[in-house]
């Protein structure tokens, strides 16, 4: 088993101690080669082999731990530098973010009022269209009753106009706030939903709905399995959970 590593760029200083890395690489190669021999051996049939394999697994774990600790040590200066950069720039960005949040409040209030006006006008338009449609139908019936073909044609024309007005009135409309200069984006009202469960009864009803919802079922089941597994593994955790089957796998630790 041969371990390959990506070459270090010529134009950049190394990001970690190359000598320490190469030493670890050599050790990992030794473990990998020995591990390959153990895998080739296949079945363990004697106590001696089992004990030796146990020791080798311990050595492998120790090597993994050494590599991981070296990784953390090599990475820490970069994490510290990254946090320092974040802190410096967040000191500039956070006040702007907070300012925008505060400025959006009066803009949202204005947009909400404009939306109320639009919705009210839409309501009036729907009522007017419904009234026009009813009047057109009444006129059509009256014209048909007296065999007035010209009046009947006018009534049918009015009915079509009322239908168009109804369609226009039912078309959704949002209050938009355009950019004064054209450089900004147009903003509009939107509704944001966040779920809240207020009682155990609500939780049960929501559970039933989500379990039946094809878009939610898989994620819900996986989350339940995760929670049930965590509960079972707790010290003094439940050995039985209604509806849950615990699969047992034998391993060594």
């Amino acid at each position: 088993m041969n371990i390959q590593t990506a070459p270090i760029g010529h134009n950049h200083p190394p990001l970690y101690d190359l000598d320490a890395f190469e030493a670890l690489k050599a050790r990992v190669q030794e473990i990998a080669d020995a591990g390959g021999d153990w895998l080739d051996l296949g079945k363990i049939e004697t106590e001696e082999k089992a004990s030796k394999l146990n020791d080798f697994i311990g050595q492998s774990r120790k090597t993994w731990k050494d590599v991981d600790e070296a990784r953390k040590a090599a990475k820490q200066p970069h994490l510290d530098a990254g946090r320092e950069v974040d802190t410096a720039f967040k000191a500039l960005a956070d006040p702007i973010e907070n300012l925008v949040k505060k400025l959006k409040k009066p803009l949202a209030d204005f947009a909400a009022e404009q939306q109320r006006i639009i919705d009210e006008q839409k309501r009036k338009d729907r009522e007017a269209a419904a009234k026009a449609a009813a009047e057109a139908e009444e006129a059509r019936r009256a014209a048909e009753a007296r065999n007035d073909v010209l009046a009947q044609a006018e009534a049918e024309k009015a009915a079509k106009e009322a239908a168009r007005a109804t369609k226009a009135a039912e078309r959704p409309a949002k209050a938009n706030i355009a950019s004064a200069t054209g450089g900004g984006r147009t903003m509009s009202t939107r509704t944001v939903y966040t779920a809240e469960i207020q009682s155990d009864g609500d939780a049960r009803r929501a559970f039933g709905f989500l379990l039946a919802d094809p878009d939610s079922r898989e994620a819900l089941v996986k989350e339940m399995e995760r929670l049930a597994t965590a509960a079972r593994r707790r010290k003094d955790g439940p050995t039985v959970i209604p509806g849950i089957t615990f699969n047992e796998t034998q391993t060594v630790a």
Side-chain angles (χ1 to χ4, degrees), residues 52-87:
K52 288 183 177 180
L53 180 55
N54 184 23
D55 290 343
F56 178 73
I57 290 174
Q59 295 172 19
S60 300
R61 287 173 172 166
K62 174 64 167 56
T63 301
W64 179 90
K65 183 178 180 181
D66 291 344
V67 170
D68 195 53
E69 288 179 350
R71 175 190 65 82
K72 292 178 180 178
K75 187 178 179 181
Q76 192 60 49
H78 304 290
L79 293 176
D80 294 340
R83 279 192 285 267
E84 186 174 342
V85 171
D86 287 343
T87 299

Side-chain angles (χ1 to χ4, degrees), residues 10-236:
H10 297 295
N11 297 325
H12 301 283
L15 299 176
Y16 45 83
D17 186 334
L18 295 181
D19 292 336
F21 177 83
E22 290 299 327
L24 285 170
K25 179 181 175 182
R27 177 57 179 156
V28 168
Q29 187 69 64
E30 292 175 1
I31 292 292
D33 291 341
D37 293 338
W38 277 107
L39 292 174
D40 290 340
L41 181 62
K43 187 177 180 180
I44 301 299
E45 297 180 339
T46 67
E47 185 70 27
E48 180 185 4
K49 288 291 186 183
S51 297
K52 288 183 177 180
L53 180 55
N54 184 23
D55 290 343
F56 178 73
I57 290 174
Q59 295 172 19
S60 300
R61 287 173 172 166
K62 174 64 167 56
T63 301
W64 179 90
K65 183 178 180 181
D66 291 344
V67 170
D68 195 53
E69 288 179 350
R71 175 190 65 82
K72 292 178 180 178
K75 187 178 179 181
Q76 192 60 49
H78 304 290
L79 293 176
D80 294 340
R83 279 192 285 267
E84 186 174 342
V85 171
D86 287 343
T87 299
F89 282 88
K90 277 178 65 65
L92 299 179
D94 285 353
I96 300 300
E97 183 180 13
N98 293 332
L99 175 63
V100 169
K101 288 180 180 179
K102 292 179 180 179
L103 291 175
K104 285 177 69 175
K105 177 61 170 63
L107 197 61
D109 292 342
F110 173 81
E113 175 60 18
Q114 296 304 302
Q115 188 66 50
R116 186 195 66 77
I117 294 173
I118 290 173
D119 292 343
E120 177 63 17
Q121 185 59 51
K122 284 285 187 180
R123 183 189 65 79
K124 292 179 180 179
D125 291 345
R126 286 193 297 271
E127 290 179 353
K131 181 180 179 182
E135 291 175 349
E137 176 62 17
E138 183 179 353
R140 185 194 65 78
R141 290 179 180 177
E144 191 176 67
R146 63 177 184 270
N147 293 322
D148 188 340
V149 293
L150 293 179
Q152 187 175 348
E154 286 296 324
E156 290 174 352
K157 179 181 178 182
K160 290 180 180 179
E161 291 176 352
R164 285 194 293 269
T166 298
K167 187 175 181 179
E170 291 177 347
R171 190 177 299 119
K174 287 188 176 182
N176 293 322
I177 303 173
S179 168
T181 62
R185 66 182 181 88
T186 298
M187 301 180 71
S188 62
T189 56
R190 65 173 180 171
T191 302
V192 179
Y193 298 98
T194 55
E196 178 184 0
I197 296 175
Q198 298 180 338
S199 69
D200 289 351
D202 290 342
R204 294 186 184 94
R205 286 189 290 273
F207 172 82
F209 174 85
L210 293 174
L211 189 62
D213 178 29
D215 292 333
S216 306
R217 186 182 188 282
E218 182 178 356
L220 177 63
V221 170
K222 286 184 177 180
E223 180 62 14
M224 290 171 58
E225 290 174 342
R226 185 190 69 79
L227 292 172
T229 299
R232 180 66 179 87
R233 291 177 177 177
R234 286 199 316 259
K235 183 179 181 181
D236 300 327

